[in-house]
């Protein structure tokens, strides 16, 4: 079929129901040129896996899509440079280093649930208590990962609104596939503000290092050299950004699925061994980050199509995760499915691509596993009667990042 018969990738029609569009792409045009994007779309599981692993699909696209707001981050590096720079932070995201944060996560979950929240829009003071109606997404799910990462970095919770404004502007910049100049300018402005904010913090940690991640970065040495302030700011910007909205959306999506099929909520509540499969299936079925860009370094053949060197290629995570060639009944949310190893979901051997795949596999996957498991367990314990609020219909939104807009629940 000629590509003119296709809706534009960046159209509202696709954003409304990307999964229907992706199904058609997989069937009819698995390597699809989209004029508005100015790039190719890869939609099948096997092709996306190959692209994540192949050096012919580089992350050079991030020079334009990310570097202006992050600086030169891990995502852009490869080879020895990537291994060295990732090794500076990876000990804090796995094994013993990760275990250190379990009490921080537990404290923050309790802290958020035990406080009163003043809802700015309704001027109401809300409390997380049985029978109350709250927006679980914005009043709980989004707070938790920001509080956790800011504790890890040793930054104050009081600046939550500023952190959210900054990382939201960065996520909009990254998702600015339409190349809207206002969004681009807002992203750059956010970096200026965040980096000004971080300058005195970094200087202070150089003089008085503590046991937080910023102190670890200021005292770290790579080949006998310490990191420059801007490199530290890049790491912090990336950590603040990468783990916040993604984890919040994953938690909101999980509870949307569980509460939309009450029997699943009850089953998971009664048997917590079903919780990890439900989380992993949520990440397959509705990945928060729906795609990653790449740039080809040479001409590459995929499914009989030649993608020229220097092309932008979107690896469609959300499509690969529902490829009928890989998963049975891919459009069903089924935590009991036997064609997905849930234990592997948070490792580089993961069978779906919610956390990417290959060299740039998500650094924070195990941290988010810990946050999602702990938070869900507490919510299930405290609010066994939780249900969707009367008359509330979840509405999914977003193309690059996707989740429900709100999650109104009665606790
Ligand atoms: C459910 C939550 C999360 C999701 C869905 C997610 C998703 C992803 C994806 C898809 C990538 C690959 C990007 C690419 O290849 O272009 C990635 C990389 C990354 N993520 Fe996550 N992420 C999550 C949580 C976190 C957390 C909690 C952190 C840290 C606080 C984090 C830090 C990173 C970093 C630093 C990278 C870049 C790794 C590298 O280039 O080597 N992420 N993430």
């Amino acid at each position: 079929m000629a590509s003119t018969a296709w809706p534009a990738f960046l159209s509202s029609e696709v954003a409304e129901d990307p999964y229907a569009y992706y199904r058609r792409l997989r069937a009819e045009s698995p390597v699809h040129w989209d004029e508005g994007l100015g790039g190719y779309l890869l939609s099948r599981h096997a092709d996306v896996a190959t692209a994540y692993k192949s050096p012919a699909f580089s992350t050079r696209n991030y020079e334009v899509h990310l570097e202006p707001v992050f600086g030169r981050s891990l995502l852009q590096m490869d080879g020895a440079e990537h291994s060295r720079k990732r090794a500076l932070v990876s000990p804090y995201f796995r094994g013993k280093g990760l275990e250190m944060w379990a009490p921080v996560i537990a404290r923050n979950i309790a802290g958020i649930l035990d406080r009163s929240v003043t809802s700015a829009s309704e001027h109401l003071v809300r409390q997380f208590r049985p029978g109350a109606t709250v927006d679980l997404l914005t009043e709980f799910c989004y707070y938790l990962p920001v509080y956790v990462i800011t504790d890890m970095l040793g930054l104050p919770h009081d600046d939550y609104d500023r952190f959210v404004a900054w990382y939201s502007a960065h996520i909009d910049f990254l998702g600015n596939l339409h190349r809207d100049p206002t969004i681009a300018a807002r992203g750059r402005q956010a970096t200026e503000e965040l980096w000004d904010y971080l300058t005195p913090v970094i200087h202070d940690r150089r003089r008085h290092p503590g046991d937080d991640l910023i102190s670890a970065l200021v005292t770290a040495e790579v080949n006998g050299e310490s990191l420059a302030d801007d490199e530290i700011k890049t790491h912090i910007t990336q950590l603040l950004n990468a783990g916040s909205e993604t984890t919040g959306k994953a938690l909101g999506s999980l509870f949307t699925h569980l509460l939309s099929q009450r029997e699943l909520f009850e089953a998971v509540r009664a048997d917590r061994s079903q919780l990890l499969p439900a989380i992993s299936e949520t990440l397959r079925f509705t990945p928060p980050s729906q795609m990653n860009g790449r740039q080809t370094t040479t001409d590459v053949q995929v499914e009989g199509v030649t993608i020229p060197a220097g092309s932008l290629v979107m690896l469609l995570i959300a499509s690969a995760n529902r490829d009928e060639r890989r998963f049975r009944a891919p459009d069903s949310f089924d935590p009991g499915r036997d064609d997905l190893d849930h234990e592997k979901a948070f490792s580089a051997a993961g069978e779906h691509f919610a956390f990417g795949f290959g060299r740039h596999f998500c650094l924070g996957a195990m941290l988010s596993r810990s946050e999602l498991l702990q938070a869900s367990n507490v919510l299930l314990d405290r609010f066994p009667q939780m249900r969707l609020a009367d008359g509330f219909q979840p509405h999914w939104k977003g193309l690059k990042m996707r989740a429900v807009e709100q999650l109104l629940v009665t606790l």
Side-chain angles (χ1 to χ4, degrees), residues 185-225:
R186 222 184 307 125
R188 286 200 186 83
Q189 172 74 21
T191 303
E192 255 177 53
E193 289 171 19
L194 170 61
W195 285 29
D196 282 349
Y197 172 96
L198 290 173
T199 300
V201 176
I202 292 171
H203 289 173
D204 186 57
R205 299 293 156 89
R206 284 200 192 280
R207 283 195 300 275
H208 312 289
D211 52 7
D212 57 88
L213 257 167
I214 297 182
S215 297
L217 288 169
V218 301
T219 50
E221 288 200 354
V222 185
N223 293 347
E225 280 179 33

Side-chain angles (χ1 to χ4, degrees), residues 5 59 61 112 159 179 212 328 332 338 392:
T59 54
N61 57 298
I112 300 167
D159 292 326
R179 297 184 278 272
D212 57 88
R328 252 189 325 280
S332 306
D338 59 8
F392 173 70

Side-chain angles (χ1 to χ4, degrees), residues 52 59 62 74-75 82 86 93 149 238-239 242-244 246-247 250 283 288-289 292-294 317 353-357 359-365 367-368 371-372:
Y52 268 125
T59 54
Y62 285 128
L74 285 180
L75 277 169
H82 177 258
R86 186 163 159 138
F93 291 90
I149 193 69
Q238 181 166 40
L239 293 176
S244 298
T246 45
T247 308
L283 290 165
S289 176
N292 287 147
R294 292 295 188 260
I317 297 171
F353 305 129
F355 293 109
F357 196 52
R359 167 172 288 280
H360 294 282
F361 181 81
C362 179
L363 175 78
L367 175 68
S368 72
E371 292 182 66
L372 293 166

Side-chain angles (χ1 to χ4, degrees), residues 91-105 107 152 211-213 367:
Y92 297 87
F93 291 90
R94 56 163 201 245
K96 287 258 172 296
L98 177 66
E99 281 168 27
M100 232 163 50
W101 308 117
V104 173
I105 297 171
R107 188 182 68 229
M152 290 171 73
D211 52 7
D212 57 88
L213 257 167
L367 175 68

Side-chain angles (χ1 to χ4, degrees), residues 3-41:
S3 61
T4 46
W6 287 84
F9 177 51
L10 303 177
S11 63
S12 53
E13 182 186 340
V14 170
E16 192 53 41
D17 186 3
Y19 296 109
Y21 175 72
Y22 295 156
R23 197 179 307 122
R24 189 175 158 211
L25 280 184
R26 289 192 301 275
E28 298 174 29
S29 185
V31 181
H32 186 79
W33 168 259
D34 184 88
E35 192 65 39
L37 175 71
Y40 291 84
L41 304 171

